[in-house]
DNA sequence: AAATTTGTCAACCGCCTTAAT
DNA sequence: AATTAAGGCGGTTGACAAATT
């Protein structure tokens, strides 16, 4: 009855991943693609739960991940999206290429939350903590325009709030006050179709903008910079048949995954 | 210099939805 | 239709690092 168990609970390792485990997982996924996490630990020679492998891959090992702190523009975007979506971190993360829900959630809890509180803004409702009773007061009170969309300007204390209500009639592009954040927000908000897809829980559009830039892919710039010395093996990707973690590699990887899926489909 | 506090974030836990049997 | 696991998600924890006393 039902499906087979995800993994043999006995002998499953927990805790921090070692460099060796990471290597095995990356090697396996780059070769075979992402599919059937239940089978991954066994096939990759890992004493881990499939769930743990998926988490490790999506949150830390994926080649398209950015590393490091969120930029101001990204932070602004997170605040704006949070005002609209609440704690739906995966939805928010879907709009920030190279960022994971876990990373955004952590950043929210450790940085943004405090920042907003410091500014006198409730991080849950995005309303002022001490709301003035008079409407005219709210007009003069920085960041106290509940009916208006959110916006953090470059100035520390000038935060225009977004209504936590899911009815946001004003064009979100009007929120943008910095060029950088404008660009980011434009990607999401300026397009009704995109916004609708967000609300309708449709799959996000693939963001491939970095593929067209003259700059090296972020993955090459940042992905493994902060890793400990044990991970220098990653620089020797050829060891497991990977020339680099750049664009081509990832495209191949995606193709590999698709092939695997197709093969799975053929079997059925 | 040592002890304590605070901050950060990777990883786990448990719940929910979806899908397989 | 009922049962069970996979996959996905958000909340929470705990180890470690950095800052402070």
């Amino acid at each position: 009855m039902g499906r087979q168990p995800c993994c043999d609970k006995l002998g499953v390792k927990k805790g921090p991943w070692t460099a060796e485990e990471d290597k095995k997982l990356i090697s396996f996924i780059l070769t075979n693609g992402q599919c059937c996490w239940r089978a991954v630990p066994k096939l990759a020679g890992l004493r881990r739960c499939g769930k743990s492998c998926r988490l490790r891959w999506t949150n830390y090992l994926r080649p398209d991940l950015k590393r490091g702190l969120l930029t101001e523009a990204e932070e602004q975007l997170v605040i704006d999206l949070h005002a609209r979506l609440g704690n739906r971190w995966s939805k928010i993360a879907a709009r920030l290429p190279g960022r994971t829900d876990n990373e955004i959630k952590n950043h929210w809890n450790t940085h943004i939350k405090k920042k907003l509180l410091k500014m006198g803004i409730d991080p849950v409702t995005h309303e002022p903590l001490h709301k003035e009773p008079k409407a005219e007061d709210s007009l003069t009170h920085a960041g106290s325009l509940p009916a208006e969309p959110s916006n953090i300007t470059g100035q520390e204390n000038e935060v225009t709030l977004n209504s936590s209500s899911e009815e946001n009639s004003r064009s979100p592009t009007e929120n943008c006050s910095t060029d950088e954040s404008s660009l980011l927000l434009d990607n999401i908000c300026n397009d009704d179709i995109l916004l609708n897809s967000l609300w309708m829980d449709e799959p996000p559009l693939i963001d491939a903008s970095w593929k067209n830039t003259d700059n090296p892919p972020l993955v090459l710039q940042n992905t493994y910079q902060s890793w400990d010395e044990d991970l220098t093996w990653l620089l020797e990707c050829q060891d497991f048949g990977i020339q680099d973690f750049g664009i081509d590699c990832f495209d191949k990887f995606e193709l590999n995954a698709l092939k695997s899926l197709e093969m799975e489909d053929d079997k059925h």
Side-chain angles (χ1 to χ4, degrees), chain A residues 238-253:
Chain A
Q238 295 94 329
D239 285 355
F240 46 97
I242 307 304
Q243 297 307 311
D244 59 53
F245 282 127
I247 303 163
D248 291 340
C249 161
F250 193 60
D251 286 347
K252 282 176 192 168
F253 156 68

Side-chain angles (χ1 to χ4, degrees), chain A residues 176-194:
Chain A
C176 309
S177 56
T178 67
D179 292 343
E180 209 183 350
S181 64
S182 289
L183 283 172
L184 270 172
L185 282 171
D186 280 352
N187 285 336
I188 322 159
C189 310
N190 206 19
D191 187 331
D192 285 345
I193 297 168
L194 268 177

Side-chain angles (χ1 to χ4, degrees), chain A residues 128-228:
Chain A
L129 284 168
H130 306 294
K131 212 176 178 178
E132 298 293 338
K134 292 180 183 177
E136 59 189 76
D137 288 344
S138 69
L139 290 173
T140 54
H141 190 305
S144 56
L145 300 171
E148 298 290 309
S150 79
N151 179 21
I152 290 185
T153 69
Q155 295 166 9
E156 191 61 23
N157 289 322
E158 207 172 301
V159 177
T160 314
L161 289 175
N162 199 2
S163 169
S164 59
S165 153
E166 298 214 334
E167 298 175 25
N168 223 322
S169 55
R170 191 167 150 188
S171 165
T173 52
E174 294 173 54
N175 299 340
C176 309
S177 56
T178 67
D179 292 343
E180 209 183 350
S181 64
S182 289
L183 283 172
L184 270 172
L185 282 171
D186 280 352
N187 285 336
I188 322 159
C189 310
N190 206 19
D191 187 331
D192 285 345
I193 297 168
L194 268 177
L195 201 55
N196 286 340
S197 79
L198 199 61
W199 296 122
M200 299 300 288
D201 284 355
E202 287 173 4
L205 298 180
I206 295 166
D207 191 302
S209 56
W210 58 269
K211 291 183 179 179
N212 298 324
T213 174
D214 288 331
N215 297 325
L218 288 161
V219 53
L220 292 178
Q221 293 177 353
N222 303 327
T223 303
Y224 303 113
Q225 279 178 2
S226 60
W227 287 25
D228 60 47

